[in-house]
Each structure stands twice: as structure tokens, then as C-alpha cells.
Amino acid sequence: MKNRRLKRGLSFFLCLIIAVCISAGIMPHTVRAEEKRTVKVAFFPMNGYHMMAGKGIYTGMDVEYLEALCNYTNWDIEYVECEDWDAALKLVADHKADLVGSAQYSAERAASYQYADLSSGYTFGIIATNPNSSLAYEDFDAMKEITFGMVRTYVRREEFLGYLSDNGIASPKIREYDSTSDLQNALDEGEVDALVHTFMEIKEGQRLIGRFAPRPFYYITYEGNDDVMRDLNNAIADLKMNEPELETQLMNRFYQSKLDKTVVFTLDEKEYLAEKNTIRVGYLDSYYPFVYEEDGECKGLTKEMLEGIAALTGLTISWQKVENPQEARTALGNDELDVMSYCVHAEGSSHDHQLSRIKDYVQVPLVFVTKEKTELESIETLATVDYLSDKATELIGSTDIKVQTYDTPQDCLDAVKDEKADAVMCDGYLTEYLLSSQMRYYDLAIESVLSDGLGISMTVSGSNPELAGILNKTLLTIDARAISDYMLESNVYSLASVGIFIEDHSVVIILILIMIMLIILLVALHIIRDAKKIQHLMYKDVEIDIGNLNYLIYTGKKNILPERSAQQYAVVYLNISQFQRYKVIYGWNNGQKLLSLIADALSQCIKGKNEVCAKADGDHFVFLMSDENGPIPERVRKIRYFMEERIFEEIGSRIEVQMGIYFIPPNSDDLRSAIDCASQAIDFIQNDNPDNIQIYDDDLEKAIRERHEREKLLDSVDIDENFVTYYQAKVDVNTEEIVGAEALVRFLDPTASGAVRSPWFFIPYYEQTGKVTDIDFFVLRCACKMLRRRLDSGEKVVTISCNFSRIHFVKPDFAIRFEQVLNEYRIPKELIEVEITETLVMEEMQENLAKQTLDDLHAKGVRLSIDDFGAGYSSLGVIEKIPASVIKLDRSFLLNQKDRERQVKIMKSIVELADNLGSQIVCEGVETDADVELMREIGARVAQGYRYAKPVSEMAFEERLSQSVE
């Protein structure tokens, strides 16, 4: 009876919360309009994607996605039935349908149809078998002996062959069929062992044994259907923002659920399970709610998950407590443990002890905790645990704040409580539990949740690779909902226990009821105060005294735009140029002071009743302004000038700000879209724009569309087919002999008859996606192939320098991978140089991993070249940090002729310093005879520039290199 009352009370409380959320407008809202646009969608039969549940009753992944889409746009969907995909495409081409879905991008199709800006889902190539097959997932040794089936027109054939080739299968056995139904029948009849197709063609119960070439798909329409496409783009953007999980949910519901999810183990793993009855699992105490000890027994979500795996595999678990991560690593290394269930040691330590690290099974948020009313500027010491010390150092970015490490998160909280530290950075779940369960922490509060989380994994002894494979296949992810349910269940259990205790000891308890009620009253007041604080933080930036984006959007929509009458309004997006570099050089505290200074200056400029300003993410600000006080572009110029001068007066440094302007249409109040447009405008500010201001207009919108098309093109191309390597010679100015070269990459545009595109066309996008790392190694391999060919034929070779993105230098395996390529082609290390920019040194070298990577390269005998020397901050400090073999002087040295005599002295000193250090000087951008004379005057001999050689194809470079010998 008591339990039922308790549950009823909790149910009432939850219902109350939901009712409040609905009344406050937290639930996603549906867009309503008086008149809706009828949009015709081509409907073609595809299992899971388009299905009929009865006459005139449409269902499937696409149907439900469109239903969700209609919550964000004024559409009525009318389906136009057809036989297949080709017929659907023809309906759109003939303007008999507005849209067709599931279209993968191709340059040829993009020339005739208009693609949505954002994808509406994804698909990929699969290899599938019948449920009774013994083939395991990605068991490539077994795949060497089987027969694959595919349809003759399968568009991903080459990607499938590449997938197998990358995994050691050079010539697979393939049978081709005329249609998908023939292919499915062949698999059922046993003519083939596995079928190859797209994920959407998989049948109920079939089992996935391979997956390759993931690709997004889009809605497309005919050219000129701009109104429908505009509605579609806005609706998809809103849907992705408000319901980001929808695409995955639909994919799982209509496709993933059809797969046979039976775990298939390899023969070695089956043998391990048959022989191993018990595995020894180590655990750490006090990491609630994952692993902790209660009444001498291990408990928590991690234990529950592993016990489930044990039931699935037939294993028995012996739980063994360890005191700290170091003891755990030692026990694993000595084969005293098989698995460590909760791994929090630093990245890379598993490799040092020959251990295998299993995939992360939970992401733990990190939080920043201080005493109440503690100002961030007053923090002098930050407490954290040892494995988070690097993250803490990265967070503060300044030597002004001292980082202290403790054994456990509770020790860190105790340090703040005892005034040994000012703040704590630690595990969010455990901190929330400790703050709510121990009254001694009543005056501590979570100030903020950090964007970076902490991945928790398991570690297996290196002598048990089979166990590592079993865990990787069976380990599940613990999501936030499961964690919340577990913590809520623990609290309910505590309440029930209190009720039993009160009943059994009522005589004693009644004497202290008044005190308990007072404590409850104090806690309630504390909760109410915190709730008000959270509500305040929803509309206030937590670090500086200015509103946030929620405040700007709320104020703009409710108080400003509805009263605008005939006034013109615009959203202005502000970006601080090179803010990250400023913060690296001058520290995190000075970076915060700069942000506060800009917020104060902005508040002085934007203070009318019909205007509002706010801070966006990072170093960005946004303000909504009207033309009531003058033309908006002119006011923006004055604001920019005022802010830059104010910054110079306060900090003594010239910091530029960039601004993007978007004029809001008279009938629109969509501030989120306006902010997006204004921020995109900043991306198109040119270097020669003295105002650093860009207005979002029709021309800019066209440029943004062209950028989208270019990005789609770059996603679809193949590196080996569409990229080539060019070489620019380095020449001895005294003998005019070629003494080296720089390898440069060029793109052959398939949409422009193979026109050669320079790096500006593709490098910025590939830097964002990470594909630039593949481009860099493609160039390295091309250079190695050319050198190997010339070495084998006895021809002249010179040292080739290759550029590498900064992304490589924070990857621990870069030096090893680089050396493997050189060994593969048997290239002496003195024939390849790694070029790094001065910016990399100043901005990334503070990362220990980047510094370690450069040290590893130098230790392996790899030549390092510093590019753009003299173009950034603290150039002489670069020489101290890196043992470079080559220093490339930036062209700015040659162009600076204001004080030539002083410039010559400086350059001579640099050349002499390089000679003393055993480094070679290369002058970049040598274009005139005057540049050559200046080089000779300062004692530099090697030049790179158009005066001697332009970047040319490999064939042209080799011809000139051979001629220089003659």
C-alpha cells in the first residue's frame, strides 16, 4: 500500500512537470497556416521506403518523414503513384510531381534537377546473407571463399570491390543478375552465399556481414520550382534542429529492425567461450552510477550490462575490486585480471602496457563546480582528477590558474569545501549525486556543463584478443535515459527505505520530525532559488554580462518585430578575427576580458528600445537593429570602427572584427534563419574588403548555393581519379640548378572537362570534413612513386617537401604511418621533407600530442621544414621549438622595402642563425630580379617562385629535372 502511494505521488509529480512544460511551450510546436500548399510527391514501390497498407493508405520511411516535415511547413502532401524510381524521376522531369526522395548526389543529375540543401537520410552498400549462414560480420578470411551476387546495373560495384580490396580480397567471385528479385531468389536457392546491394533492399531476417560506402540521399525537384525548394530547405533545417534523432529512428524502424541481430562469433571466439568458464573483471569504487561498492558488493549500470553479456555468452564473472587505475593496469599487464570495467586512464596508456581498449560504452558530461557567488575572474586554483588534468589545462589556457590533481572527484569537492581550491572540473553524474546526497556540499553549485565529455570504456589484457572481439560485438551503449532511470530508481528506493525506517522506529522519529520539516523547507527554498537561477541563465550568458541568443530571439519576436510598422530591420552577426590565436598567446583570462570589452562596447552602441544585442557561441555576437537612427550599413561601419578603437585603447592590440548583415523581410519574424544568413555572410568577406562587412543579398545567396554544389561535388569524387600532384622547383640562384621541389595538389574538375582547380577550391571544405588527411597522404605517395621510379632508372632525384594539415599532428599514429609509406617505397628519409606552418607551431604546439608527434618525426630522421616563417607571431620562438632542417622565409620579407637597410640586416641575421643551426634557408615567392639580388645580398641561395619555376605537372617537372643534369 505504501509503495502504491509512493508511485502515485511520483506519477502525479511527473504529470505536473509535463503539464508545466506544455504550458511553457517546451514541446515542439506545429506550424499552422490558413492556406496550405499542395505538394505532389512521386510514390514508387520500395520495401521499407514506400509501402501500401491498403488501398489509398500510404506508409513507409518516406511517408512518415514527410508527415514530420509538414509540422514545419504549410504543406498538404499528395502522392503520385508510379512503377519504379525511373518512372518517379520522369514524373518530376515532366512537372507532374514536385518531389522525389532517396536521390543520391551525382554531378550529372544535378545539371538537370535541383537538390535540397540538406540530406533527408542516408544509405550505404551492404553484404547480406540468409539467417542460417555461419559467416561472421567482416570475416574477410571466410569471404575469400564465397560467391557474391549483385544486379548488373549496381552503381556501387567499384566501391564494393575497393572495400574488399582494402581488406585483402583482390578477386572476389561474383555472379550477376538482371533484377533485385532474381538476386534475392538466387540467395534463397543457394546459388550465391551473399548478396551485394543497397541497405534499403534488405529483406526481413537477412543478416548483415559487411557495410561500405555510406552516402546521404536528398529530395530533388525540377529546375525553377523555387518556392517548394525554399519551403523544403527551411523545413528540413527546422526538423534536424528540433528532432535530430528522427532519421535514425526511422532507419532503425523500417530497416535495422529487419536484420537478424544474432551475434556471430569467429571460430577463435567460440573456442575461447567453450574453454573459458570465468572471466576476472576489475572495478573501481565510487564511480556512481556505473560502478560502486555497496555493502561489500559491486553495483551499478556497468555491472548490469556485463552481467547481461555473461548471460548471452555463457560466461561467469568474478568481480575483483582495485584501488586505482595504476593498480588495474598492472593487474591486466600481469594477467591477474581479464577486463577492467571502468577505464578513466589517459589516452595512450593502454598501448604502453600492451592492452586492448574496447569501444566507449558511455559519454560522461564534465562540469565546472564552484562555491556559490564565486566570480570566475577570482579563480586561482582548479581541482581535478589526474586523468582530466590535460583537459583542465586546455580549458583555462593560462598559467595564471594553477591546476591541482586529486585521487577522486570527492577529494576535489572536499578541496573546494576546505578552501584548498577555488573550483572543480569533474564527472557530471557523480558530482550531481554527491551534491544532492551529502548536505556538507550545500554551498557548492554546478556553474556550467562543458561541451567536451569523457568517454568511458573497458580495457582487456593484450593476451585475450578473442575476449576483446566478444566484448566489441556485445557491448551496448548506456544512454542518458538509462542513467536517469537508474538514478531515479535509486532515489525511489531510498524514499521507500525511509518509510520503512519511520514505521519501525516511529517513537524515536517523531521527536525529530520538526527538525526534518525545517530541513525540507530549507531544501525546497534552495531548489526554488536554483530554479530561478536556471531561468535567469536561459536568457543570460554565463560568462559575461550580456543576453544570449535565447534572449535576443525572445525579445525580438515578442517585443520588437510585431511593432515594426514601416521600419527596416536587420540582424548583424559579429566575428572577432584571430580570437583563438589571441587567446593562445595572451591566455584564457585575457580572452574573457576581450569578450567583456566587446560586450560593453556593443551595449553602448545598441541601446534603443527597438534594438537588442546578445552573445552567440564562442567569440561571436549578434544584434538586431533598425534604420530608425540612420541607414543600417553606415551605422554598422561606425560601430565596427568604434569597437576596434575601443579595443586598441584598452588592450593596446589591433583586433579586427567582421560583420555580416541580413535584412529581415517585412513579413518575416524568423530570427533563427536571419542569424544563420548573417553568419554565412561573414564567410564571404574578402581579404581586400576594407570594411570587413558583408551584406547577405541575392548575389551572396547565389554564391552560397554554388558553394553547396561544390561541396556536394567534392563529396562524390574519388581522390585517385580526380586529383593530381604538381611540383614547383627550388633553384640555386647561383647555378640555377634544381636542388629540390615542393609537391602541391590540384583538382581535376569533372564538371568542367577536367579543368585544373587550385587548393582554394577544395582544401577549406576538406579541412572541415577531415578528408584533407587522405589528400596529404595521396600527395606523399605520388612523390614517393616518382622518386622510386627515378631511383630505379638511375635518374637524378632531389628532396621533395610535402605539406601536411595540422590535423595530422594531434594524431598519435601519424609518425608511424608516415614512416610506413616511406618504407613501402624504400625512399631514403633525406629525400622527403614534412612542411609545417609557423601558425601550427604557435597554436598547436601547446598540445602535448602535437609536440610529441614532431619529436617522433625528428627522432626517426625525418626532415622538418618551417613554412611561412615571419608571417605570424614570435617567429624566433619557432626555431627554438622545432629542430627544422629547412626554414622558408615568407614573401613578406622580400616585399618590405620601407626601411631596406634595416630589413637586410634582419634577414642576414636570420640566415646566419640558420647556418649556425645547420638549417637551410629557402626564400618563397621570388618573382623578380630585384628579389634575386636581395637574396644574394643577405647570403641566401635557394629560391622558390615564378622567377624560376611555376607549379607544373609531374611529367613536365621530370623533363626539366632531367634537362638540368644534361
Side-chain angles (χ1 to χ4, degrees):
M1 178 66 72
K2 285 183 293 184
N3 287 339
R4 281 202 299 270
R5 289 174 181 171
L6 182 61
K7 291 179 180 177
R8 189 179 304 148
L10 288 172
S11 299
F12 174 78
F13 182 64
L14 291 174
C15 291
L16 182 62
I17 291 175
I18 293 172
V20 172
C21 291
I22 294 174
S23 64
I26 294 177
M27 300 301 181
H29 62 280
T30 301
V31 175
R32 296 178 174 85
E34 296 179 0
E35 296 183 5
K36 292 191 174 184
R37 185 195 306 275
T38 299
V39 176
K40 296 182 178 180
V41 178
F43 187 93
F44 56 93
M46 179 187 285
N47 186 31
Y49 191 72
H50 282 164
M51 300 180 293
M52 299 291 293
K55 186 175 181 180
I57 302 175
Y58 302 98
T59 186
M61 176 180 173
D62 188 40
V63 174
E64 295 205 8
Y65 187 86
L66 287 169
E67 288 177 358
L69 207 64
C70 287
N71 290 331
Y72 301 93
T73 189
N74 302 323
W75 281 5
D76 274 331
I77 302 297
E78 177 183 324
Y79 292 103
V80 183
E81 298 181 19
C82 56
E83 296 180 357
D84 52 31
W85 160 256
D86 292 330
L89 205 60
K90 190 174 187 307
L91 285 174
V92 175
D94 294 341
H95 296 198
K96 295 180 180 178
D98 294 298
L99 297 174
V100 63
S102 77
Q104 297 184 46
Y105 181 81
S106 72
E108 180 181 359
R109 189 178 293 149
S112 303
Y113 297 90
Q114 189 174 352
Y115 276 80
D117 289 342
L118 300 172
S119 65
S120 51
Y122 64 93
T123 184
F124 42 81
I126 56 97
I127 307 172
T129 66
N130 281 325
N132 57 358
S133 172
S134 62
L135 290 169
Y137 183 76
E138 291 197 338
D139 189 348
F140 294 107
D141 289 335
M143 288 188 197
K144 293 178 181 178
E145 308 300 328
I146 71 173
T147 300
F148 300 92
M150 69 171 62
V151 294
R152 301 184 195 281
T153 58
Y154 187 52
V155 296
R156 297 186 179 177
R157 181 187 182 96
E158 294 303 321
E159 293 162 309
F160 164 68
L161 294 176
Y163 171 65
L164 292 188
S165 176
D166 290 343
N167 291 281
I169 305 178
S171 302
K173 303 172 188 176
I174 299 175
R175 285 189 179 180
E176 296 183 341
Y177 296 89
D178 292 330
S179 66
T180 300
S181 60
D182 292 342
L183 175 59
Q184 292 283 6
N185 290 335
L187 180 64
D188 293 338
E189 298 296 329
E191 294 180 14
V192 295
D193 301 296
L195 65 81
V196 183
H197 216 306
T198 61
F199 185 59
M200 290 181 171
E201 296 294 347
I202 203 162
K203 289 175 61 176
E204 187 82 32
Q206 289 178 342
R207 189 154 49 77
L208 198 68
I209 64 170
R211 185 169 72 172
F212 57 92
R215 292 287 185 272
F217 59 79
Y218 304 83
Y219 286 105
I220 60 175
T221 186
Y222 51 84
E223 290 289 344
N225 198 4
D226 295 337
D227 291 340
V228 169
M229 185 53 70
R230 186 183 303 107
D231 288 350
L232 177 65
N233 286 332
N234 292 334
I236 293 178
D238 289 341
L239 182 60
K240 285 181 179 290
M241 181 180 298
N242 293 299
E243 302 179 53
E245 73 286 348
L246 178 64
E247 293 174 12
T248 301
Q249 289 176 350
L250 293 177
M251 183 66 74
N252 290 338
R253 177 180 171 190
F254 287 99
Y255 292 102
Q256 192 72 27
S257 60
K258 298 181 180 181
L259 294 174
D260 180 1
K261 297 181 177 62
T262 303
V263 178
V264 178
F265 299 115
T266 64
L267 294 176
D268 290 340
E269 291 166 351
K270 290 179 180 178
E271 184 178 344
Y272 179 88
L273 291 173
E275 295 177 354
K276 191 82 170 180
N277 295 324
T278 302
I279 60 172
R280 299 159 297 175
V281 179
Y283 71 92
L284 296 164
D285 188 16
S286 302
Y287 286 92
Y288 180 91
F290 304 106
V291 283
Y292 60 97
E293 192 172 79
E294 188 175 281
D295 299 328
E297 180 184 354
C298 177
K299 292 190 175 183
L301 285 165
T302 303
K303 181 187 178 183
E304 292 180 3
M305 178 177 59
L306 279 175
E307 295 288 359
I309 293 175
L312 173 69
T313 58
L315 292 170
T316 302
I317 296 178
S318 171
W319 292 92
Q320 299 181 16
K321 181 179 178 181
V322 293
E323 296 301 325
N324 52 62
Q326 179 59 45
E327 180 183 327
R329 291 195 291 272
T330 302
L332 286 168
N334 294 336
D335 205 24
E336 297 169 0
L337 282 179
D338 298 307
V339 183
M340 186 59 201
S341 60
Y342 188 95
C343 294
V344 295
H345 46 269
E347 185 71 27
S349 56
S350 57
H351 300 294
D352 297 339
H353 295 79
Q354 299 300 312
L355 308 177
S356 298
R357 188 165 184 174
I358 309 304
K359 65 182 181 181
D360 292 348
Y361 62 84
V362 69
Q363 284 289 323
V364 176
L366 300 178
V367 297
F368 202 66
V369 180
T370 64
K371 282 192 174 182
E372 293 182 347
K373 299 182 180 180
T374 298
E375 298 291 338
L376 293 177
E377 293 78 6
S378 65
I379 294 175
E380 297 181 354
T381 55
L382 177 67
T384 189
V385 287
D386 181 64
Y387 55 86
L388 291 178
S389 59
D390 289 342
K391 281 185 176 290
T393 302
E394 177 185 354
L395 170 69
I396 61 178
S398 171
T399 57
D400 296 338
I401 300 178
K402 181 181 178 182
V403 176
Q404 297 177 346
T405 57
Y406 293 86
D407 292 335
T408 68
Q410 187 164 2
D411 291 340
C412 295
L413 294 174
D414 289 339
V416 175
K417 182 67 181 177
D418 299 336
E419 298 185 351
K420 296 178 181 178
D422 301 314
V424 174
M425 188 187 82
C426 56
D427 173 348
Y429 292 128
L430 180 57
T431 300
E432 181 182 357
Y433 169 72
L434 292 173
L435 294 185
S436 61
S437 63
Q438 299 193 24
M439 287 300 296
R440 73 182 305 262
Y441 299 131
Y442 72 94
D443 58 344
L444 301 187
I446 296 175
E447 287 296 327
S448 62
V449 179
L450 306 182
S451 58
D452 287 341
L454 177 67
I456 305 301
S457 64
M458 297 185 187
T459 302
V460 176
S461 170
S463 62
N464 286 331
E466 296 84 4
L467 180 57
I470 292 168
L471 289 176
N472 271 322
K473 291 176 181 178
T474 56
L475 204 63
L476 302 176
T477 299
I478 302 176
D479 60 23
R481 181 184 295 274
I483 297 169
S484 298
D485 291 344
Y486 185 88
M487 296 177 75
L488 178 62
E489 181 181 350
S490 299
N491 292 337
V492 170
Y493 176 79
S494 300
L495 290 172
S497 300
V498 170
I500 295 171
F501 180 82
I502 292 173
E503 182 177 342
D504 294 341
H505 305 84
S506 59
V507 176
V508 177
I509 296 300
I510 199 169
L511 299 176
I512 57 173
L513 267 177
I514 296 176
M515 185 176 294
I516 292 176
M517 293 301 295
L518 288 174
I519 293 173
I520 292 174
L521 180 61
L522 291 174
V523 171
L525 292 173
H526 183 75
I527 292 174
I528 293 171
R529 185 182 62 180
D530 284 351
K532 291 181 178 179
K533 182 178 179 181
I534 291 172
Q535 187 175 14
H536 174 72
L537 291 177
M538 286 179 62
Y539 296 103
K540 202 76 171 177
D541 186 83
V542 296
E543 296 175 342
I544 58 178
D545 186 22
I546 192 173
N548 58 21
L549 274 184
N550 292 331
Y551 172 73
L552 182 139
I553 293 171
Y554 175 82
T555 304
K557 282 190 173 183
K558 185 175 181 180
N559 300 331
I560 299 178
L561 293 183
E563 308 295 331
R564 63 180 131 181
S565 63
Q567 294 176 6
Q568 173 71 65
Y569 277 84
V571 165
V572 183
Y573 198 87
L574 183 151
N575 173 62
I576 307 172
S577 297
Q578 297 184 334
F579 176 75
Q580 294 302 323
R581 178 177 294 186
Y582 177 85
K583 191 169 68 171
V584 166
I585 295 172
Y586 297 106
W588 182 75
N589 281 339
N590 285 318
Q592 292 301 109
K593 290 178 181 178
L594 176 58
L595 293 177
S596 298
L597 179 61
I598 291 177
D600 180 63
L602 197 57
S603 299
Q604 293 182 40
C605 299
I606 307 297
K607 55 185 179 181
K609 68 175 184 178
N610 293 328
E611 297 180 335
V612 62
C613 59
K615 184 176 180 292
D617 60 304
D619 57 329
H620 302 123
F621 293 82
V622 180
F623 46 99
L624 175 66
M625 60 190 309
S626 72
D627 61 358
E628 181 180 8
N629 298 317
I632 291 175
E634 183 61 30
R635 286 188 62 202
V636 170
R637 291 187 186 93
K638 291 179 179 179
I639 291 172
R640 186 188 69 83
Y641 177 78
F642 171 75
M643 296 181 68
E644 290 182 353
E645 291 302 313
R646 176 75 180 278
I647 293 170
F648 181 72
E649 290 174 2
E650 294 290 336
I651 68 175
S653 296
R654 286 292 181 186
I655 303 292
E656 292 186 349
V657 294
Q658 300 173 321
M659 296 186 182
I661 304 174
Y662 177 79
F663 288 96
I664 302 174
N667 58 348
S668 172
D669 63 353
D670 188 354
L671 286 176
R672 290 193 181 276
S673 295
I675 292 169
D676 289 340
C677 292
S679 67
Q680 289 184 71
I682 289 180
D683 294 340
F684 288 82
I685 294 178
Q686 303 296 325
N687 292 332
D688 58 354
N689 184 339
D691 288 336
N692 272 333
I693 295 171
Q694 179 67 52
I695 297 176
Y696 188 101
D697 53 18
D698 292 342
D699 291 338
L700 184 62
E701 184 172 359
K702 180 181 178 182
I704 292 173
R705 288 185 177 276
E706 291 174 352
R707 183 174 67 178
H708 284 323
E709 294 301 320
R710 181 167 73 248
E711 291 173 354
K712 290 178 183 178
L713 169 64
L714 293 174
D715 282 335
S716 66
V717 298
D718 182 84
I719 292 178
D720 292 326
E721 293 181 3
N722 296 101
F723 288 87
V724 294
T725 302
Y726 272 42
Y727 297 87
Q728 186 175 26
K730 300 176 185 177
V731 177
D732 187 317
V733 297
N734 294 332
T735 64
E736 296 201 357
E737 178 185 0
I738 296 176
V739 294
E742 180 177 358
L744 305 165
V745 65
R746 295 293 186 265
F747 174 59
L748 303 180
D749 191 345
T751 64
S753 303
V756 178
R757 305 292 191 194
S758 59
W760 69 264
F761 188 85
F762 55 89
I763 288 297
Y765 179 62
Y766 282 161
E767 284 276 5
Q768 296 174 15
T769 64
K771 194 172 181 179
V772 69
T773 59
D774 297 330
I775 296 290
D776 291 342
F777 272 98
F778 164 78
V779 173
L780 175 63
R781 287 184 177 275
C782 288
C784 288
K785 289 177 184 177
M786 186 264 288
L787 289 171
R788 184 71 264 158
R789 186 176 63 253
R790 295 185 68 86
L791 287 169
D792 290 342
S793 60
E795 298 179 88
K796 177 183 177 180
V797 294
V798 293
T799 300
I800 305 296
S801 61
C802 298
N803 294 281
F804 286 90
S805 167
R806 65 177 59 195
I807 299 174
H808 294 285
F809 296 94
V810 293
K811 291 187 176 182
D813 63 342
F814 171 63
I816 296 174
R817 187 180 175 191
F818 178 87
E819 188 176 37
Q820 286 174 345
V821 175
L822 267 60
N823 292 339
E824 178 184 348
Y825 293 97
R826 295 175 288 117
I827 302 299
K829 292 187 175 68
E830 63 269 16
L831 290 182
I832 294 290
E833 289 174 357
V834 174
E835 280 207 10
I836 53 179
T837 63
E838 182 184 354
T839 305
L840 166 73
V841 178
M842 295 309 300
E843 294 186 3
E844 301 292 352
M845 284 290 284
Q846 299 211 5
E847 295 285 345
N848 292 332
L849 195 56
K851 185 178 186 305
Q852 183 62 49
T853 299
L854 291 174
D855 289 343
D856 289 346
L857 288 169
H858 181 64
K860 293 177 183 295
V862 177
R863 291 168 58 88
L864 301 178
S865 172
I866 300 176
D867 196 13
D868 299 333
F869 182 82
Y873 295 90
S874 305
S875 295
L876 292 178
V878 174
I879 301 176
E880 177 189 359
K881 291 178 181 291
I882 296 182
S885 301
V886 177
I887 298 173
K888 301 180 73 174
L889 292 183
D890 186 70
R891 175 164 172 73
S892 61
F893 276 113
L894 301 177
L895 295 177
N896 187 359
Q897 299 294 324
K898 292 182 179 179
D899 188 351
R900 191 177 188 281
E901 182 179 352
R902 184 170 183 271
Q903 185 74 359
V904 169
K905 289 180 180 179
I906 293 173
M907 295 175 71
K908 277 185 177 181
S909 299
I910 294 174
V911 173
E912 290 175 2
L913 177 60
D915 288 341
N916 293 334
L917 294 174
S919 300
Q920 182 189 61
I921 289 288
V922 176
C923 289
E924 294 184 286
V926 177
E927 298 181 358
T928 65
D929 291 339
D931 293 341
V932 176
E933 288 303 316
L934 179 57
M935 282 184 59
R936 288 174 175 155
E937 187 174 351
I938 65 174
R941 295 187 55 180
V942 181
Q944 180 181 344
Y946 280 26
R947 168 62 176 80
Y948 291 101
K950 297 180 180 180
V952 295
S953 66
E954 182 175 282
M955 180 182 297
F957 172 72
E958 287 197 70
E959 287 178 0
R960 181 171 177 186
L961 184 60
S962 299
Q963 290 172 1
S964 68
V965 176
E966 300 173 3

